[in-house]
Each structure stands twice: as structure tokens, then as C-alpha cells.
Amino acid sequence: NLKIAVIGGGSSYTPELIEGFIKRYNELPVKDLYLVDIEEGKEKLEIVGGLAKRMVEKAGVGINIHLTLDRREAIKDADFVVTQFRVGGMDARIRDEKIPLKYDVIGQETTGPGGFAKAQRTIPVILDICKDVEELAPNAWLINFTNPSGVITETILKYTNVKAIGLCNVPIGMVYGVAKMLEVDPKRVYIDFAGLNHLVWGTHIYLDGEDITEKLIDSFAGGKSLSMKNIPELPWDPDFIKSLGMYPCPYHRYYYLTDKMLEKQKEEAATVGTRGEVVKKLEQELFELYKDPNLNIKPPQLEKRGGAYYSDAACSLICSIYNDKKDIHVVNVRNNGTIADLPDDVVIETNAIIDRNGAHPINIGHVPAKIRGLMQAVKAYEELTIEAGVKGDYYTALQALTIHPLIPSATVAKKILDDILEQNKEYLPQY
Ligand code: NAD
Ligand code: G6P
Ligand code: MN
Ligand code: MN
């Protein structure tokens, strides 16, 4: 009797997930699917839950959808717990995006100070959820989507006994992007990934097993650029791409094209609004659609969100664990020596073999110097962000922000930190 609990069930992405479970019902016969939310999300939960129920009814599959505000009821004896919640909601995200911009620093929900703030709000909640999982479903797998996904997954693995795997749709998006460029079925494309969540490089690209990295790098250098709905698609410099010799993820633009991205963000903030402000409106439109009692499929408008292929990543991962498939997924997993240039106990994003015992990353060894420094610096920032988030320690937080490559000085780091702590007071019980 397969039971799945989704924490943050009122998310507008939930129909994606439902579609994924419906598609795989033969291999993954979910009996009970609990969508959990909090009081503030009750209305969203009811609307999206209504659509979810119509979707399974239309598909004729035997999934029972339960809507609840009782997290413990949902977690009890679950086989999988999927976490996709947003502490503080979209308004907190918008503040995360706006605070850094005041100090001429990239304002992004997962990268830089915005991601730091989101982590500080999320860490107390995820630790609380994990206590419930330890007590009520000690054998469950926790599949984490909550951003910053790598940081939150590392927090779970360092501070709890919960079995967790972190996910992001960026790697699968990069595979699909290459497939589209080559006009081939994505199944024929394989990419070796190395790095961190939202800081992952495609180090080798294969078509039908043949290494086509160089050829593809040439076409990226020739102006082809792949991005996602939530990241401005600024073109890469051809010489830069050739010198890198790898496929950078869309989020790398914040590091490699910082000046132009900052300019773009400021321009957007002053016109259409930050990404969070755009998404807030988009979400209202989506929920209006979801209310329609005749709607019983995932509406195509959801594709305007950045989370494309989200359900493919999540549902196929769950399916591989459940069916002991031993196939390869790109996940956030404990390093354990996979990347020789990082500590063992940190989380990395890479290719791993998935079976019923979890994710077994495929060895990488050392990475080239041109990506090593940035990766190590951001990982050190992440380690300090986690420590600060767990302990509520101001000095650790100040070091985290100061060493972040996108923050120019200790002076600016301190100003941003004080602003973040002030504006997030109600969500930071640990400080
Ligand atoms: P959202 O604002 O719609 O949040 C989803 C739900 O979480 C809301 O209904 C909200 O009420 C609920 N929630 C808030 N605090 C909660 C708590 N303590 N317990 C239970 N539920 C709670 O956000 P969204 O846009 O759907 O995104 C949800 C999360 O998923 C975010 O953290 C986002 O960054 C992340 N996300 C990650 C990826 C990825 O690639 N890893 C992709 C898409 C979204
Ligand atoms: C991508 C990232 C996610 C992020 C999302 C934001 O999919 O991988 O981690 O949450 O974009 O999309 P949004 O539509 O909320 O801006
Ligand atoms: Mn992501
Ligand atoms: Mn090579």
C-alpha cells in the first residue's frame, strides 16, 4: 500500500506531480497521496486538491487524494515524503530578491544572499519535519525539492537520520535542451554532471554513447544558449564558452556574467517587477484556471514557471527507488569522495545509480582548476549557511555571506545580513 506525503501540497506545481504519478501508475501504484499544507495555504490546497482529484478520476487510476493540514497524519507510515514548501510564501521570496539589489548585489531566490535568506527560514522547518519523519516513518525516503535544494538536503543529511535525496529540474532541463538542439529523443542524450545545485557543469555530453562535447561547445559558442523560464537568457561570450569547454547551467550566468545580469535585474525590477513579483501574478492566473470544475488535466500555462520537467525528475526517481531499478539520475547526494576536491559530508549534484537503497554517485575524482575554485568557494558558503541556519549564529552567517563570490566585501555582507535578519524576524526562531 504505497503512501506518499507531499509537504507544500498547495503548490501550483502539484498538478505536474499528479500527472507524473498518473503516467507511471502501472509501475508505481500509489494508493494514498497526502497533500499537506498549513493554515495560510488552505485555500490553495483546496483548489489544487480539487484539480488533483479530477485528474485522477479522469485518468481512471486508483490513487486516493487526501487534503490535510495535519502533517503528522500525512507522514505516518509514508513510503515517500516529498518536500516542496516555501516558508514565508512569495512575499518572502520577493524580499529576498529585493534586499541584495539595494546593495548592488544579485537578487535571486536561490543564488547569493536571497538563497541564504531562504535557507535561514527553511532550516528550522525542515528539521521539524524530519523529527516527524524519524518518529512516524523512519523507513521513508524524503525527496527534497525545497530550495535551496542542495543546502536543504545537506542540512537533513548532516543533522538528522532521515534518508534524503535532493532534486532539481536543472540537469534534466539541460538534457532536454541539448536534445532539442540536436532534434533527437532526450533518451539518446546523456550528460556527466559535476558541481552543486544551481552550480552544476555538464562536463561531458554524449549522443548514443558517443562523446560530442566539443561539437556542442562549438554550437554554444556560436550563440546557441539554453536557459529556463526564470532566468534571463543573456548570451554567452563565444571565447568564454570555448575556454570553459563545458556546458554551464543557466544559473552560472549570475557568476560568469554578473555585471550584465545585475543590470538586467535592476531593469526588470523597475519595470515588470522581480521574478517573484512576476510569478505571484502568474500564480493567481493559474489558480483561477485550477478552479474551473471542468478542468481535469494539467493546464499548459504551468509551463511559464521555471519548474518544467519537475515531475519527471521526482516521479521517475521515486519509481526507480521503489522498483530497485539501478538506473541513473542526477541528484543531490552526499559527496563521500565522489568529487575529490570537496569534503565527504557535503552534498553535491551529480549522476548517481538509484536503487532501493538510495543514490550511489558515480566517481568523478578531481575537477579542473577552472571550475574548482568557484565550486569550493560556493560550497564553503553553503556549509557556513547551514551551520548558521541550524545554530542561529550571527558570526557564522556573516562569514557565509562575506565569502560568497557575489558579495564584494565584509561591509556589504554585514549590511545585507542585518537587513535580511530584520526583514525575516518572524521566520527565524533560531536567531
Ligand atoms: P509556493 O509558495 O506555492 O509554496 C508551496 C506551498 O508551501 C504553499 O501552498 C505554502 O502554503 C506551503 N507552505 C509554506 N510553509 C509551509 C510549511 N511550513 N509546511 C507545509 N507547507 C508550507 O511555492 P512554489 O513555487 O510551489 O515552490 C515550492 C518550493 O519548491 C520552493 O521552495 C521552491 O523554491 C521549490 N522548487 C524547487 C525546484 C527545484 O528545482 N528544486 C523547482 C520548483 C520549485
Ligand atoms: C528552476 C529551478 C528551481 C526554481 C524554479 C523557479 O526550475 O530549478 O529550483 O524553483 O526554477 O521558477 P519560478 O517560476 O518560481 O521562477
Ligand atoms: Mn532547482
Ligand atoms: Mn574532456
Side-chain angles (χ1 to χ4, degrees):
N1 276 356
L2 189 51
K3 174 174 176 178
I4 298 187
V6 180
I7 318 280
S11 165
S12 62
Y13 284 119
T14 294
E16 274 263 337
L17 210 53
I18 303 296
E19 186 189 63
F21 288 130
I22 289 173
K23 265 203 290 195
R24 290 173 181 79
Y25 186 72
N26 286 334
E27 272 185 293
L28 188 72
V30 179
K31 173 120 192 302
D32 292 295
L33 183 66
Y34 280 74
L35 302 178
V36 192
D37 216 288
I38 51 174
E39 191 58 43
E40 292 93 308
K42 199 174 167 193
E43 203 193 325
K44 283 171 67 184
L45 179 68
E46 269 158 20
I47 296 169
V48 82
L51 172 58
K53 286 178 182 172
R54 295 193 297 277
M55 286 173 72
V56 299
E57 194 180 324
K58 154 121 203 284
V61 295
I63 306 175
N64 300 307
I65 309 266
H66 308 264
L67 311 181
T68 183
L69 302 186
D70 182 350
R71 186 172 83 201
R72 289 174 62 83
E73 173 202 14
I75 289 175
K76 187 165 175 23
D77 299 327
D79 300 285
F80 294 91
V81 176
V82 179
T83 47
Q84 53 165 38
F85 58 93
R86 186 188 294 283
V87 180
M90 244 358 125
D91 291 331
R93 169 178 179 177
I94 294 166
R95 290 195 292 272
D96 291 349
E97 292 166 339
K98 287 187 168 172
I99 292 171
L101 287 179
K102 290 203 281 186
Y103 307 94
D104 275 333
V105 170
I106 291 289
Q108 215 282 328
E109 68 157 338
T110 62
T111 299
F116 168 85
K118 193 174 192 321
Q120 302 307 298
R121 287 193 303 276
T122 307
I123 286 172
V125 179
I126 197 74
L127 292 177
D128 214 37
I129 291 171
C130 285
K131 277 196 192 131
D132 287 347
V133 177
E134 284 170 346
E135 180 194 332
L136 301 165
N139 296 318
W141 280 100
L142 189 151
I143 309 296
N144 178 62
F145 255 99
T146 300
N147 274 319
S149 186
V151 167
I152 299 307
T153 306
E154 186 169 316
T155 305
I156 301 171
L157 296 181
K158 279 181 169 170
Y159 289 93
T160 82
N161 294 316
V162 173
K163 301 186 288 182
I165 298 178
L167 265 185
C168 173
N169 64 333
V170 161
I172 192 176
M174 289 167 72
V175 170
Y176 280 52
V178 167
K180 205 171 158 198
M181 254 174 76
L182 299 174
E183 295 176 346
V184 302
D185 188 318
K187 287 195 190 82
R188 296 173 56 193
V189 175
Y190 184 85
I191 302 180
D192 291 333
F193 287 97
L196 316 180
N197 178 234
H198 292 187
L199 192 82
V200 74
W201 289 268
T203 58
H204 292 92
I205 306 171
Y206 307 86
L207 175 65
D208 299 327
E210 186 197 339
D211 189 337
I212 56 160
T213 315
E214 242 175 86
K215 196 175 109 194
L216 264 198
I217 295 303
D218 283 344
S219 53
F220 294 140
K224 291 260 186 200
S225 95
L226 304 166
S227 193
M228 319 189 71
K229 287 278 158 41
N230 59 314
I231 301 177
E233 196 161 339
L234 295 188
W236 294 109
D237 176 79
D239 288 326
F240 167 71
I241 288 293
K242 282 196 181 166
S243 64
L244 183 65
M246 293 177 208
Y247 179 7
C249 83
Y251 284 83
H252 274 117
R253 285 183 174 79
Y254 296 112
Y255 295 93
Y256 292 143
L257 303 171
T258 314
D259 44 359
K260 289 198 178 112
M261 290 297 271
L262 184 58
E263 211 178 293
K264 181 88 185 155
Q265 285 195 329
K266 285 183 174 172
E267 177 200 309
E268 285 184 349
T271 53
V272 291
T274 65
R275 176 66 188 167
E277 290 174 302
V278 171
V279 167
K280 196 173 168 178
K281 283 189 207 129
L282 232 162
E283 222 179 39
Q284 281 157 3
E285 289 166 30
L286 281 171
F287 276 93
E288 278 312 307
L289 287 171
Y290 292 178
K291 279 181 192 164
D292 178 356
N294 295 313
L295 182 73
N296 52 19
I297 52 161
K298 179 188 88 181
Q301 285 88 339
L302 186 50
E303 280 158 26
K304 290 188 195 159
R305 295 291 308 272
Y309 318 122
Y310 154 74
S311 78
D312 273 321
C315 301
S316 72
L317 176 68
I318 292 173
C319 197
S320 291
I321 298 173
Y322 181 75
N323 291 303
D324 195 27
K325 276 198 181 170
K326 307 189 195 297
D327 58 355
I328 296 171
H329 292 248
V330 183
V331 292
N332 282 263
V333 62
R334 192 176 188 271
N335 182 35
N336 272 347
T338 306
I339 296 179
D341 309 294
L342 291 174
D344 281 347
D345 65 345
V346 303
V347 161
I348 60 168
E349 188 164 276
T350 195
N351 309 56
I353 297 169
I354 306 296
D355 64 18
R356 55 185 299 202
N357 295 307
H360 312 280
I362 297 168
N363 191 53
I364 292 171
H366 291 283
V367 299
K370 57 192 166 186
I371 69 169
R372 186 179 64 218
L374 178 57
M375 183 186 70
Q376 289 176 329
V378 174
K379 181 45 80 181
Y381 146 81
E382 291 186 354
E383 293 177 66
L384 293 166
T385 293
I386 293 164
E387 194 187 326
V390 172
K391 298 180 181 161
D393 184 63
Y394 182 84
Y395 286 156
T396 308
L398 184 56
Q399 281 300 321
L401 287 179
T402 303
I403 66 164
H404 195 287
L406 294 176
I407 298 176
S409 70
T411 321
V412 173
K414 186 166 187 212
K415 285 183 186 158
I416 294 179
L417 176 58
D418 290 342
D419 213 341
I420 288 174
L421 295 178
E422 173 61 29
Q423 293 201 39
N424 286 281
K425 262 193 213 140
E426 60 179 306
Y427 300 108
L428 304 177
Q430 75 273 45
Y431 278 90

